[in-house]
Amino acid sequence: TRLRPNLHVVSKHHATSLVPLPPMYTPWKPSAKDDQDVINGKVSLLHSHLKKKHHLGNDDDDFELPASFFKVKEPKQDFKMDESSNILYSLLGEFGKATYLQFAAKVAAEHKLSDAKQAKLVGSLKQSLLGFQAGGHDFMLDAARVNYPSLNEHEQRTRLIQMLQVMLKNATKAAPPEDPRFAHHRNHKK
């Protein structure tokens, strides 16, 4: 009995009568005149906000967002690709065409790959060539497959390798300048 309270006992605090509701909480009931107005079409109890000719500024039922809220904004491209990436990107745009090797020779001439000043660029393109020759998955070729679905993955890789080989055939043999970030590693021996 100690754990179960006696539910039959009512305290004197709870025995008071109910408090009447304020008038604003009493439900509205239409009068006979209101019913007749609805029947005659003078008043609509539903969707009354649709018939308003003007609004007072404090009604948020007809809140509309500007059309600019629903426009897709393209992200700003604030990065710059290095020159070798630009060259590879241009090669991907042309390697599905019949004149892909002539385009590679033209790009090599435009970027003056035979000039010793372009040794760093040539070194980067050689690294890319080695990566393509090694095989494996490549995201650039995946993206190119969308533009040239008629070429399978092997044909795409082969054409890109051929284009890079044509570009590097007459490229400079000068060693690229040493990257100062890694210069100290050459001097340290274990």
mmCIF file of all heavy atoms in Angstrom, residues 107-129:
data_model
loop_
_atom_site.group_PDB
_atom_site.id
_atom_site.type_symbol
_atom_site.label_atom_id
_atom_site.label_comp_id
_atom_site.label_asym_id
_atom_site.label_seq_id
_atom_site.Cartn_x
_atom_site.Cartn_y
_atom_site.Cartn_z
ATOM 1 N N VAL A 107 49.711 21.301 -81.121
ATOM 2 C CA VAL A 107 49.777 21.758 -79.719
ATOM 3 C C VAL A 107 51.231 21.820 -79.256
ATOM 4 O O VAL A 107 51.631 22.752 -78.552
ATOM 5 C CB VAL A 107 48.928 20.847 -78.807
ATOM 6 C CG1 VAL A 107 49.173 21.137 -77.338
ATOM 7 C CG2 VAL A 107 47.453 21.005 -79.129
ATOM 8 N N ALA A 108 52.040 20.836 -79.652
ATOM 9 C CA ALA A 108 53.453 20.843 -79.274
ATOM 10 C C ALA A 108 54.156 22.076 -79.844
ATOM 11 O O ALA A 108 54.978 22.698 -79.164
ATOM 12 C CB ALA A 108 54.132 19.570 -79.778
ATOM 13 N N ALA A 109 53.827 22.436 -81.088
ATOM 14 C CA ALA A 109 54.442 23.625 -81.703
ATOM 15 C C ALA A 109 53.951 24.900 -81.022
ATOM 16 O O ALA A 109 54.730 25.827 -80.783
ATOM 17 C CB ALA A 109 54.119 23.654 -83.188
ATOM 18 N N GLU A 110 52.655 24.947 -80.671
ATOM 19 C CA GLU A 110 52.100 26.134 -80.019
ATOM 20 C C GLU A 110 52.737 26.396 -78.650
ATOM 21 O O GLU A 110 52.959 27.529 -78.265
ATOM 22 C CB GLU A 110 50.584 25.988 -79.830
ATOM 23 C CG GLU A 110 49.780 26.144 -81.103
ATOM 24 C CD GLU A 110 48.300 25.846 -80.883
ATOM 25 O OE1 GLU A 110 47.894 25.493 -79.755
ATOM 26 O OE2 GLU A 110 47.537 25.966 -81.861
ATOM 27 N N HIS A 111 53.008 25.323 -77.937
ATOM 28 C CA HIS A 111 53.581 25.465 -76.590
ATOM 29 C C HIS A 111 55.110 25.437 -76.597
ATOM 30 O O HIS A 111 55.730 25.452 -75.523
ATOM 31 C CB HIS A 111 53.025 24.370 -75.666
ATOM 32 C CG HIS A 111 51.588 24.596 -75.314
ATOM 33 N ND1 HIS A 111 51.203 25.374 -74.265
ATOM 34 C CD2 HIS A 111 50.447 24.146 -75.888
ATOM 35 C CE1 HIS A 111 49.884 25.393 -74.192
ATOM 36 N NE2 HIS A 111 49.401 24.657 -75.176
ATOM 37 N N LYS A 112 55.705 25.364 -77.781
ATOM 38 C CA LYS A 112 57.167 25.422 -77.948
ATOM 39 C C LYS A 112 57.868 24.425 -77.029
ATOM 40 O O LYS A 112 58.756 24.780 -76.248
ATOM 41 C CB LYS A 112 57.674 26.841 -77.690
ATOM 42 C CG LYS A 112 57.078 27.851 -78.638
ATOM 43 C CD LYS A 112 57.517 29.251 -78.296
ATOM 44 C CE LYS A 112 56.789 30.225 -79.210
ATOM 45 N NZ LYS A 112 56.681 31.546 -78.662
ATOM 46 N N LEU A 113 57.474 23.157 -77.147
ATOM 47 C CA LEU A 113 58.044 22.125 -76.279
ATOM 48 C C LEU A 113 59.506 21.842 -76.602
ATOM 49 O O LEU A 113 60.206 21.213 -75.808
ATOM 50 C CB LEU A 113 57.222 20.838 -76.376
ATOM 51 C CG LEU A 113 55.779 20.936 -75.865
ATOM 52 C CD1 LEU A 113 55.092 19.588 -75.957
ATOM 53 C CD2 LEU A 113 55.732 21.453 -74.441
ATOM 54 N N SER A 114 59.984 22.302 -77.760
ATOM 55 C CA SER A 114 61.395 22.096 -78.096
ATOM 56 C C SER A 114 62.295 23.120 -77.405
ATOM 57 O O SER A 114 63.523 22.942 -77.371
ATOM 58 C CB SER A 114 61.588 22.169 -79.614
ATOM 59 O OG SER A 114 61.164 23.437 -80.086
ATOM 60 N N ASP A 115 61.735 24.154 -76.850
ATOM 61 C CA ASP A 115 62.500 25.203 -76.167
ATOM 62 C C ASP A 115 62.951 24.701 -74.791
ATOM 63 O O ASP A 115 62.194 24.068 -74.055
ATOM 64 C CB ASP A 115 61.608 26.442 -75.999
ATOM 65 C CG ASP A 115 62.380 27.652 -75.512
ATOM 66 O OD1 ASP A 115 63.599 27.535 -75.291
ATOM 67 O OD2 ASP A 115 61.754 28.712 -75.348
ATOM 68 N N ALA A 116 64.189 24.993 -74.443
ATOM 69 C CA ALA A 116 64.744 24.539 -73.150
ATOM 70 C C ALA A 116 64.020 25.184 -71.972
ATOM 71 O O ALA A 116 64.005 24.627 -70.870
ATOM 72 C CB ALA A 116 66.235 24.858 -73.089
ATOM 73 N N LYS A 117 63.385 26.328 -72.184
ATOM 74 C CA LYS A 117 62.647 26.985 -71.105
ATOM 75 C C LYS A 117 61.401 26.195 -70.701
ATOM 76 O O LYS A 117 60.854 26.393 -69.630
ATOM 77 C CB LYS A 117 62.227 28.400 -71.538
ATOM 78 C CG LYS A 117 63.384 29.347 -71.720
ATOM 79 C CD LYS A 117 62.887 30.696 -72.177
ATOM 80 C CE LYS A 117 64.048 31.627 -72.462
ATOM 81 N NZ LYS A 117 63.597 32.907 -73.027
ATOM 82 N N GLN A 118 60.967 25.308 -71.570
ATOM 83 C CA GLN A 118 59.767 24.506 -71.300
ATOM 84 C C GLN A 118 60.120 23.146 -70.688
ATOM 85 O O GLN A 118 59.302 22.232 -70.704
ATOM 86 C CB GLN A 118 58.965 24.297 -72.602
ATOM 87 C CG GLN A 118 58.443 25.567 -73.204
ATOM 88 C CD GLN A 118 57.278 26.131 -72.404
ATOM 89 O OE1 GLN A 118 57.275 26.120 -71.183
ATOM 90 N NE2 GLN A 118 56.273 26.611 -73.115
ATOM 91 N N ALA A 119 61.300 23.022 -70.126
ATOM 92 C CA ALA A 119 61.748 21.731 -69.585
ATOM 93 C C ALA A 119 60.835 21.239 -68.463
ATOM 94 O O ALA A 119 60.556 20.039 -68.360
ATOM 95 C CB ALA A 119 63.189 21.846 -69.088
ATOM 96 N N LYS A 120 60.360 22.148 -67.642
ATOM 97 C CA LYS A 120 59.467 21.747 -66.542
ATOM 98 C C LYS A 120 58.150 21.201 -67.092
ATOM 99 O O LYS A 120 57.637 20.176 -66.622
ATOM 100 C CB LYS A 120 59.215 22.943 -65.624
ATOM 101 C CG LYS A 120 58.379 22.619 -64.422
ATOM 102 C CD LYS A 120 58.239 23.823 -63.512
ATOM 103 C CE LYS A 120 57.356 23.496 -62.332
ATOM 104 N NZ LYS A 120 57.133 24.646 -61.475
ATOM 105 N N LEU A 121 57.600 21.864 -68.111
ATOM 106 C CA LEU A 121 56.370 21.402 -68.751
ATOM 107 C C LEU A 121 56.577 20.045 -69.407
ATOM 108 O O LEU A 121 55.745 19.144 -69.274
ATOM 109 C CB LEU A 121 55.899 22.434 -69.774
ATOM 110 C CG LEU A 121 54.708 22.052 -70.638
ATOM 111 C CD1 LEU A 121 53.475 21.793 -69.795
ATOM 112 C CD2 LEU A 121 54.440 23.140 -71.664
ATOM 113 N N VAL A 122 57.702 19.887 -70.098
ATOM 114 C CA VAL A 122 58.009 18.617 -70.755
ATOM 115 C C VAL A 122 58.136 17.507 -69.707
ATOM 116 O O VAL A 122 57.633 16.391 -69.897
ATOM 117 C CB VAL A 122 59.292 18.736 -71.610
ATOM 118 C CG1 VAL A 122 59.763 17.381 -72.089
ATOM 119 C CG2 VAL A 122 59.046 19.659 -72.787
ATOM 120 N N GLY A 123 58.768 17.815 -68.592
ATOM 121 C CA GLY A 123 58.894 16.827 -67.515
ATOM 122 C C GLY A 123 57.535 16.412 -66.969
ATOM 123 O O GLY A 123 57.294 15.222 -66.705
ATOM 124 N N SER A 124 56.637 17.360 -66.818
ATOM 125 C CA SER A 124 55.291 17.048 -66.338
ATOM 126 C C SER A 124 54.521 16.192 -67.340
ATOM 127 O O SER A 124 53.823 15.244 -66.962
ATOM 128 C CB SER A 124 54.539 18.350 -66.058
ATOM 129 O OG SER A 124 53.236 18.086 -65.623
ATOM 130 N N LEU A 125 54.664 16.508 -68.626
ATOM 131 C CA LEU A 125 53.991 15.708 -69.652
ATOM 132 C C LEU A 125 54.576 14.299 -69.729
ATOM 133 O O LEU A 125 53.844 13.329 -69.970
ATOM 134 C CB LEU A 125 54.080 16.402 -71.012
ATOM 135 C CG LEU A 125 53.238 17.676 -71.152
ATOM 136 C CD1 LEU A 125 53.547 18.375 -72.468
ATOM 137 C CD2 LEU A 125 51.766 17.355 -71.054
ATOM 138 N N LYS A 126 55.896 14.166 -69.514
ATOM 139 C CA LYS A 126 56.513 12.834 -69.497
ATOM 140 C C LYS A 126 55.979 12.013 -68.325
ATOM 141 O O LYS A 126 55.741 10.810 -68.462
ATOM 142 C CB LYS A 126 58.040 12.950 -69.422
ATOM 143 C CG LYS A 126 58.676 13.351 -70.732
ATOM 144 C CD LYS A 126 60.184 13.430 -70.616
ATOM 145 C CE LYS A 126 60.816 13.830 -71.942
ATOM 146 N NZ LYS A 126 62.273 13.938 -71.867
ATOM 147 N N GLN A 127 55.791 12.662 -67.183
ATOM 148 C CA GLN A 127 55.220 11.965 -66.013
ATOM 149 C C GLN A 127 53.802 11.495 -66.334
ATOM 150 O O GLN A 127 53.416 10.380 -65.977
ATOM 151 C CB GLN A 127 55.204 12.882 -64.787
ATOM 152 C CG GLN A 127 56.542 13.062 -64.118
ATOM 153 C CD GLN A 127 57.064 11.738 -63.597
ATOM 154 O OE1 GLN A 127 58.026 11.193 -64.127
ATOM 155 N NE2 GLN A 127 56.429 11.203 -62.579
ATOM 156 N N SER A 128 53.034 12.337 -67.008
ATOM 157 C CA SER A 128 51.669 11.946 -67.389
ATOM 158 C C SER A 128 51.697 10.771 -68.353
ATOM 159 O O SER A 128 50.899 9.837 -68.228
ATOM 160 C CB SER A 128 50.936 13.123 -68.027
ATOM 161 O OG SER A 128 50.787 14.172 -67.117
ATOM 162 N N LEU A 129 52.634 10.809 -69.305
ATOM 163 C CA LEU A 129 52.764 9.709 -70.262
ATOM 164 C C LEU A 129 53.088 8.405 -69.538
ATOM 165 O O LEU A 129 52.497 7.360 -69.825
ATOM 166 C CB LEU A 129 53.837 10.035 -71.307
ATOM 167 C CG LEU A 129 54.160 8.937 -72.318
ATOM 168 C CD1 LEU A 129 52.935 8.595 -73.149
ATOM 169 C CD2 LEU A 129 55.321 9.343 -73.207
#
